[in-house]
C-alpha cells in the first residue's frame, strides 16, 4: 500500500504531544487516517512508546469502533513488515484485540461492570431497552402529576393553567421531559436544575441586565452578528470581482460599518440599541451590461439573508421594553418553580423505579 501524504495541518495533528488537541474537519477529509497515524506514532515512538491497550479511543458507533480497530491492526501489521525485529510492535499486534477502542457508553458500561460494588449497584443490572424505559417514564410522570394535583399548590396550578393543553396534561409533560433530558446532559443535573430558579429571581431592570444568563445571551447574539459579518465579507468580495456589481459597494460597506459596531457592542442593552438603529441603505438601481447577472443576484441573496438575520434578532429578543420583560419574568416565576419541582420529583421517582428493576439507561452509564 502506498504511503499517504498528509497535509501540513494533518501532520501537525499527528505530531502534537503533551497538550489538548481539537480537530474539526469535514466528512471525507481524512480524519480517521490522521487519527490512525497519530496512534501508530504514539505506539511506535522510538523514545517513549505507548502500549495500545493504554490508550482510550472513543467513537460514536459500534460500527465505527470496529472499523477503527481494523484499520489500526492493519497499520500495525504494515509497520511490522518494515520492522520485523521490533518486539514492541509484535506486542502491539497482540494487545490491539483487547484495546479500548469503543463507544463512550460501552466504555462506561465496562467501568461500571468492573466497579459496581463501589456505587452499591446490583451486579445483575442490565440496560433497559427503549420501549420499557419509555413506558416506565410515562408511568412515573403520571404518578408525579397526580400527586401534584392532590397537593394543589398555587404554583403548580398556575403552571397547569398556563401550559396545559385543554383538559389534558400533555403540554406540561412535554416540558418536564424536555427539561429533564436537557439537564441530564450536564455532569450534575440536579444542581443545574436547581440553579435555574435564579434565572427568574428578577425584581428590577438592574436584576434583569445583571442576570447570569444575560452573558450567554449576549454571547449568542454576537455569534449571530459574526456570521452576518462573514456573509457581508463574502458579498463584498463578489462586488469587487471582475464583472461584479460594483454599484452595490456603498450599501454593502454601510452594512459592514454597522455590523462591526454591533459586534463591538457590550451587553444586551447596547446591542439592542444598535439593532434598533440599524438602517439598510437601498441597493443602487444602476444598470450596466458588463455586470454579471449571477454575481448581482448572489450579492442580493447574501444581503437578504443578513437582513433577515438582523431583523430576526430584533424581533425575537427585543420585542418589548425591558420593563415589560421584567414583569413577564416575575409573573412566570411561580410556574417555572413548579416545573422545576415537578422535574426534580420525576427525576427522583424515575431513578427509584429503575433501581427497583435493576436496570440503567444511557444517562446512568455516563
Amino acid at each position: 500500500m502506498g504511503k499517504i501524504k498528509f497535509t501540513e495541518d494533518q501532520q501537525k495533528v499527528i505530531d502534537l504531544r503533551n497538550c489538548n488537541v481539537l480537530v474539526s474537519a469535514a466528512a471525507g477529509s481524512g480524519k480517521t487516517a490522521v487519527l490512525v497515524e497519530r496512534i501508530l506514532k504514539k505506539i511506535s515512538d522510538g523514545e517513549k512508546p505507548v502500549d495500545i491497550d493504554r490508550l482510550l479511543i472513543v467513537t460514536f458507533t459500534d460500527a465505527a469502533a470496529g472499523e477503527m480497530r481494523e484499520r489500526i491492526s492493519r497499520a500495525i501489521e504494515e509497520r511490522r513488515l518494515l520492522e520485523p525485529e521490533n518486539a514492541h510492535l509484535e506486542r502491539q499486534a497482540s494487545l490491539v484485540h483487547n484495546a479500548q477502542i469503543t463507544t463512550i457508553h460501552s466504555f462506561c458500561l465496562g467501568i461500571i461492570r468492573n466497579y459496581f460494588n463501589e456505587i452499591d449497584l446490583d451486579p445483575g443490572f442490565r440496560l433497559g431497552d427503549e420501549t420499557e424505559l419509555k413506558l416506565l417514564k410515562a408511568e412515573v410522570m403520571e404518578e408525579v402529576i397526580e400527586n401534584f394535583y392532590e397537593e394543589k399548590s398555587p404554583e403548580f396550578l398556575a403552571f397547569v393553567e398556563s401550559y396545559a393543553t385543554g383538559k389534558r396534561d400533555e403540554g406540561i409533560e412535554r416540558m418536564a421531559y424536555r427539561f429533564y433530558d436537557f439537564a441530564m446532559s450536564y455532569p450534575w443535573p440536579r444542581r443545574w436544575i436547581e440553579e435555574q430558579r435564579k434565572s427568574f429571581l428578577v425584581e428590577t431592570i438592574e436584576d434583569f441586565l445583571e442576570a447570569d444568563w444575560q452573558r450567554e445571551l449576549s454571547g449568542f447574539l454576537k455569534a449571530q452578528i459574526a456570521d452576518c459579518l462573514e456573509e457581508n465579507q463574502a458579498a463584498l468580495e463578489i462586488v469587487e470581482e471582475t464583472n461584479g456589481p460594483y454599484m452595490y459597494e456603498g450599501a454593502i460597506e454601510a452594512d459592514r460599518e454597522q455590523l462591526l459596531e454591533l459586534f463591538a457592542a457590550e451587553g444586551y442593552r447596547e446591542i439592542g440599541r444598535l439593532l434598533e438603529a440599524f438602517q439598510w441603505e437601498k441597493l443602487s438601481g444602476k444598470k450596466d451590461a458588463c455586470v454579471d447577472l449571477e454575481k448581482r443576484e448572489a450579492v442580493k441573496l447574501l444581503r437578504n439573508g443578513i437582513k433577515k438575520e438582523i431583523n430576526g434578532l430584533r424581533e425575537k429578543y427585543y420585542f418589548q421594553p425591558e420593563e415589560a420583560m421584567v414583569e413577564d419574568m416575575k409573573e412566570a416565576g411561580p410556574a417555572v418553580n413548579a416545573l422545576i419541582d415537578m422535574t426534580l420529583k420525576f427525576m427522583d421517582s424515575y431513578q427509584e423505579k429503575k433501581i427497583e428493576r435493576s436496570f440503567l439507561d444511557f444517562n446512568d452509564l455516563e
Side-chain angles (χ1 to χ4, degrees):
M1 182 184 294
K3 185 172 174 60
I4 300 174
K5 184 171 177 59
F6 294 105
T7 66
E8 184 179 340
D9 284 338
Q10 288 174 325
Q11 195 63 51
K12 191 184 297 182
V13 173
I14 292 165
D15 295 334
L16 274 172
R17 297 290 183 271
N18 305 316
C19 64
N20 294 325
V21 183
L22 175 63
V23 180
S24 177
S29 59
K31 291 188 295 295
T32 304
V34 167
L35 183 55
V36 169
E37 184 66 18
R38 178 176 169 84
I39 292 165
L40 196 63
K41 279 279 188 82
K42 288 180 78 72
I43 65 176
S44 59
D45 187 278
E47 295 181 7
K48 295 181 180 179
V50 178
D51 284 332
I52 186 70
D53 64 349
R54 299 294 295 168
L55 300 176
L56 171 61
I57 302 159
V58 174
T59 65
F60 282 109
T61 66
D62 289 324
E67 182 191 352
M68 178 67 75
R69 188 184 301 277
E70 183 182 334
R71 291 178 72 162
I72 292 171
S73 297
R74 192 162 61 241
I76 291 172
E77 288 300 324
E78 290 173 0
R79 183 64 64 90
R80 283 178 65 201
L81 291 175
L82 297 174
E83 303 176 35
E85 304 300 320
N86 191 323
H88 179 73
L89 281 177
E90 184 79 32
R91 174 176 163 79
Q92 304 317 301
S94 301
L95 293 176
V96 71
H97 303 293
N98 296 316
Q100 289 281 5
I101 305 172
T102 180
T103 64
I104 187 64
H105 289 122
S106 294
F107 174 67
C108 292
L109 184 59
I111 292 176
I112 293 167
R113 288 203 188 284
N114 288 329
Y115 299 98
F116 64 87
N117 57 303
E118 298 288 341
I119 52 174
D120 296 324
L121 185 66
D122 184 337
F125 78 89
R126 65 183 177 83
L127 270 176
D129 66 45
E130 188 176 346
T131 301
E132 65 184 334
L133 289 171
K134 188 174 181 180
L135 290 172
L136 182 58
K137 279 184 176 180
E139 176 189 320
V140 171
M141 185 64 77
E142 186 177 350
E143 289 178 5
V144 168
I145 290 177
E146 282 181 6
N147 290 336
F148 272 87
Y149 271 122
E150 288 175 7
E151 293 173 7
K152 296 181 180 178
S153 76
E155 288 186 339
F156 178 72
L157 295 178
F159 176 49
V160 172
E161 183 67 26
S162 299
Y163 298 104
T165 51
K167 295 183 178 180
R168 301 172 66 85
D169 296 319
E170 289 177 357
I172 60 175
E173 287 179 8
R174 243 187 337 265
M175 290 182 73
Y177 281 138
R178 288 179 64 191
F179 194 24
Y180 169 80
D181 289 339
F182 192 81
M184 294 308 290
S185 67
Y186 283 82
W188 312 110
R190 172 176 284 278
R191 184 191 303 170
W192 181 83
I193 290 175
E194 286 286 5
E195 286 176 353
Q196 302 320 300
R197 296 187 196 274
K198 300 176 187 175
S199 298
F200 285 80
L201 293 177
V202 174
E203 292 295 330
T204 65
I205 291 176
E206 286 69 29
D207 292 340
F208 171 77
L209 293 173
E210 293 172 9
D212 289 343
W213 54 266
Q214 279 276 5
R215 287 192 297 275
E216 294 185 24
L217 176 57
S218 295
F220 169 78
L221 293 172
K222 293 185 81 163
Q224 305 304 108
I225 295 163
D227 289 344
C228 290
L229 271 167
E230 287 188 13
E231 296 290 285
N232 174 270
Q233 179 61 35
L236 196 58
E237 288 173 4
I238 296 172
V239 164
E240 293 171 348
E241 288 178 1
T242 304
N243 299 332
Y246 62 87
M247 67 285 294
Y248 293 165
E249 185 172 7
I252 302 301
E253 285 283 10
D255 293 348
R256 187 164 190 79
E257 287 180 16
Q258 293 179 93
L259 287 169
L260 286 169
E261 191 177 4
L262 257 177
F263 187 70
E266 293 296 333
Y268 172 84
R269 177 178 282 176
E270 181 63 11
I271 293 172
R273 183 185 69 78
L274 293 172
L275 281 173
E276 190 62 36
F278 208 107
Q279 297 291 320
W280 301 100
E281 186 178 311
K282 188 176 180 181
L283 290 176
S284 170
K286 179 180 178 180
K287 305 293 182 184
D288 187 336
C290 295
V291 171
D292 185 283
L293 291 178
E294 288 188 6
K295 291 181 180 181
R296 182 192 288 265
E297 290 305 311
V299 171
K300 285 183 180 179
L301 193 63
L302 285 166
R303 192 176 195 241
N304 286 339
I306 297 168
K307 289 175 75 171
K308 184 178 179 181
E309 183 64 37
I310 293 298
N311 293 337
L313 292 179
R314 185 165 50 203
E315 292 165 9
K316 190 170 183 179
Y317 298 100
Y318 297 88
F319 54 88
Q320 61 183 8
E322 291 170 358
E323 295 84 356
M325 289 188 179
V326 169
E327 289 306 311
D328 282 351
M329 291 185 73
K330 287 164 67 175
E331 190 174 329
V336 170
N337 281 327
L339 172 61
I340 289 173
D341 292 339
M342 182 177 149
T343 305
L344 288 172
K345 184 61 180 174
F346 168 77
M347 178 187 289
D348 292 340
S349 300
Y350 179 48
Q351 194 66 23
E352 287 172 12
K353 296 286 187 183
K354 285 186 291 181
I355 291 171
E356 286 174 12
R357 290 163 171 76
S358 293
F359 63 65
L360 308 179
D361 61 17
F362 286 121
N363 289 322
D364 294 323
L365 295 184
E366 294 170 11

